[in-house]
Amino acid sequence: MARTAAWSLVAIAIGVILAAVGVRAAVHPTSSPAAMPPPGAATPMATTTQSGRGLGALPPLPHGPTGPAHAAPRAPAQSALPVRLTIPAIGVDTPLEHLGLLPDHTLRPPARWDEAGWYADGVRPGDPGPAVIAGHVDSVSGPAVFYRLRELRPGAVALVVEQSGVTLRFVIDTVAAYPKNRFPTARVYGPSPLPELSLVTCTGDFDWNAHSYLDNLVVTAHVTA
Amino acid sequence: MKRSSTRGALLAGIAATLLASSGLASAAAARPAAVPADSSAIVRGAHFSPDTPGVDVYLTAFAGGTTSLWLSGVGYGDVSPYQRLAPGAYTVAMRAHNAPASTPAALSWVLNARSGQAYTAAAVGMNKQLHGIILRDELTPPGTGTGLVRVIQAASRAPQATVTALHGPVIAKNAAFATSTAYATVPAGNWPIRASSLTTPSVATSSDLRIHSGTVTSIVLLDGKPTGIAIRTVVDAAGAAIAPIGAIPAGGGGTAPRPGPAWAGAALLLGGIALAGTVGIARRRTRMPTAR
């Protein structure tokens, strides 16, 4: 009897410890979306027209000093191939493998745990449109190249070095997790007027049967001059 | 004793499963919702009024913003690069190039810029009917192997114009001067295109249209210099030529919590129930030593 009781106590102790680990895992931050502005007033789909001169309901234009003209950065016609990604805030410094499609048209993940890859059938970083760089969050035994991606916050900087030696500077806009069965394909790969960059890794719970994480972490950034 | 333990383990297993699933549920609930859109809008300016001289364009945010000179010296046919803009309502104002900002605007209109959307703010029409329009520039991915194309009809010499891809789709049919068409789907490739006036078919021009898969393009029809009409092509947006299907597998699970908690929960309950069972049986035994 005493032996059974002792075993029970051991089991309880193990249970408490593991439960604590479980709780920690549950509250582990998986994403941190940037504040989303409230939806604006309804905008007509096609065109709104407002006649000139008859200013009608428009508020009067404030007079006074004007700010400087904004020189919008013009994207180079064709950027050079990206060869390296560094994200100082989270200690990422990785060469970039070229990623393509698997026969089932899904993205082939990077071959190495410790190196990120650029989707080479997509948009080049620095060209108008969304460039995509993927990296593993962990290997089978420990952290991988994008393990700390979840720590990124809007305003952080990601640098892409081109084969030409030029360094492109991207500023993080959003950090968000998406269930893999609702991956935001249009957002990650769809048309964009300006050069953008998406950094993608895994996050969320790990399905030990499928040996796969349930969510993707998507970090979006825009290029700055 | 053995049976009791087995039953305890079974119960514990069920309880642990419940515990684990409730734990999963709470973890999922704690995860922040996905953010669907960027925090900024994207806008460009354009001048599509054939007989209006160069202008300066100003932007003023409704929300107490100061007026700032946005584009300087914009002439007929010019389309500015895109620029990011905080979402919100703005007044777009045009003045003659180099006119002081304190002078009344020659033209002003409203831009409601929504997060994640792209717009072209343009002055259109002949100078006497000059007015401002806001075009919403498409950012929805075209089907694989295709692009989206629209026509901004800014050629006064072709009051109604048709734009056709040779051996391909009609991109715009009888589009009126100072209007824009909806986007048409055009297969990727190099298309010879022809634009002509409905009323005067001799007023016509040809050009080449290069459509990359996944891109969004505007064809701008302009009055030519010095006569006729001309085609200008601007890329509105570019996306991946082929978008991979589905999510991205990017983790080996090496830092994921092992499926321990459920196991440990089972152990915890197993232990507890075994303890209780043991005590219970021990009690029963002491009470009924000769029951079996």
Side-chain angles (χ1 to χ4, degrees):
Chain A
M1 280 321 101
R3 226 166 78 187
T4 311
W7 272 115
S8 299
L9 281 174
V10 169
I12 289 165
I14 292 170
V16 167
I17 290 164
L18 290 183
V21 170
V23 166
R24 201 171 148 262
V27 297
H28 207 284
T30 54
S31 77
S32 167
M36 187 178 136
T43 307
M45 285 289 288
T47 63
T48 58
T49 60
Q50 180 82 37
S51 289
R53 312 204 187 262
L55 293 179
L58 289 184
L61 207 57
H63 294 159
T66 64
H70 296 283
R74 183 181 278 281
Q78 177 86 92
S79 300
L81 291 170
V83 293
R84 194 159 199 93
L85 169 74
T86 59
I87 312 174
I90 56 169
V92 168
D93 184 6
T94 170
L96 291 173
E97 179 195 342
H98 286 195
L99 306 179
L101 295 176
L102 292 170
D104 66 356
H105 278 249
T106 59
L107 184 73
R108 179 177 62 76
R112 295 177 60 103
W113 302 116
D114 56 350
E115 292 181 5
W118 161 66
Y119 175 47
D121 292 335
V123 173
R124 291 185 182 190
D127 279 357
V132 178
I133 291 177
H136 292 283
V137 65
D138 58 14
S139 67
V140 291
S141 59
V145 61
F146 275 178
Y147 182 68
R148 294 179 64 198
L149 206 65
R150 69 193 100 179
E151 296 173 26
L152 280 179
R153 293 294 176 266
V157 170
L159 304 167
V160 174
V161 182
E162 295 181 340
Q163 207 164 38
S164 60
V166 169
T167 297
L168 299 164
R169 189 171 180 272
F170 290 86
V171 174
I172 309 302
D173 291 316
T174 64
V175 182
Y178 299 86
K180 280 188 177 172
N181 57 10
R182 281 184 282 145
F183 186 81
T185 295
R187 182 170 154 73
V188 173
Y189 301 108
S192 167
L194 292 171
E196 289 177 1
L197 176 66
S198 283
L199 307 171
V200 184
T201 191
C202 277
T203 193
D205 295 318
F206 193 75
D207 181 339
W208 285 94
N209 295 318
H211 227 80
S212 165
Y213 279 96
L214 296 181
D215 300 341
N216 270 136
L217 185 75
V218 178
V219 174
T220 61
H222 69 273
V223 79
T224 60
Chain B
M1 181 70 206
K2 204 177 177 192
R3 284 176 73 119
S4 178
S5 284
T6 311
R7 203 190 310 149
L10 210 73
L11 282 170
I14 294 164
T17 308
L18 287 173
L19 256 183
S21 55
S22 73
L24 275 182
S26 68
R31 188 169 304 132
V35 180
D38 277 317
S39 49
S40 49
I42 297 174
V43 65
R44 67 183 172 187
H47 181 326
F48 295 139
S49 174
D51 61 345
T52 298
V55 296
D56 295 339
V57 189
Y58 295 77
L59 270 184
T60 308
F62 272 30
T66 52
T67 300
S68 61
L69 177 62
W70 175 26
L71 304 166
S72 179
V74 184
Y76 172 59
D78 286 349
V79 179
S80 81
Y82 277 105
Q83 180 188 332
R84 292 162 60 85
L85 191 68
Y90 293 82
T91 300
V92 184
M94 281 186 175
R95 292 180 176 81
H97 181 43
N98 286 333
S102 56
T103 56
L107 174 69
S108 70
W109 68 108
V110 176
L111 164 67
N112 280 309
R114 298 181 72 177
S115 139
Q117 299 288 345
Y119 305 91
T120 302
V124 300
M126 300 306 284
N127 191 255
K128 277 187 176 170
Q129 296 90 34
L130 187 66
H131 58 285
I133 62 171
I134 304 293
L135 300 174
R136 212 186 79 169
D137 304 339
E138 189 62 76
L139 298 180
T140 306
T144 301
T146 70
L148 295 174
V149 183
R150 73 175 166 194
V151 173
I152 299 172
Q153 218 289 51
S156 67
R157 293 185 188 129
Q160 303 270 315
T162 293
V163 180
T164 311
L166 234 64
H167 310 299
V170 175
I171 300 166
K173 195 172 171 67
N174 300 340
F177 169 62
T179 68
S180 169
T181 69
Y183 285 92
T185 297
V186 176
N190 289 323
W191 294 97
I193 55 169
R194 180 180 165 82
S196 58
S197 167
L198 175 73
T199 48
T200 322
S202 61
V203 176
T205 186
S206 295
S207 181
D208 284 317
L209 176 67
R210 178 171 289 188
I211 298 299
H212 292 285
S213 172
T215 58
V216 182
T217 305
S218 289
I219 294 170
V220 185
L221 212 54
L222 298 165
D223 282 346
K225 285 176 188 170
T227 59
I229 58 174
I231 285 172
R232 188 177 166 201
T233 303
V234 291
V235 174
D236 298 343
I242 304 169
I245 292 171
I248 300 176
T255 63
R258 294 275 152 185
W263 211 83
L268 167 70
L269 282 169
L270 171 67
I273 290 162
L275 177 64
T278 308
V279 172
I281 288 161
R283 277 181 154 191
R284 261 200 325 205
R285 270 195 187 157
T286 45
R287 242 191 285 154
M288 298 179 285
T290 55
R292 282 181 197 184

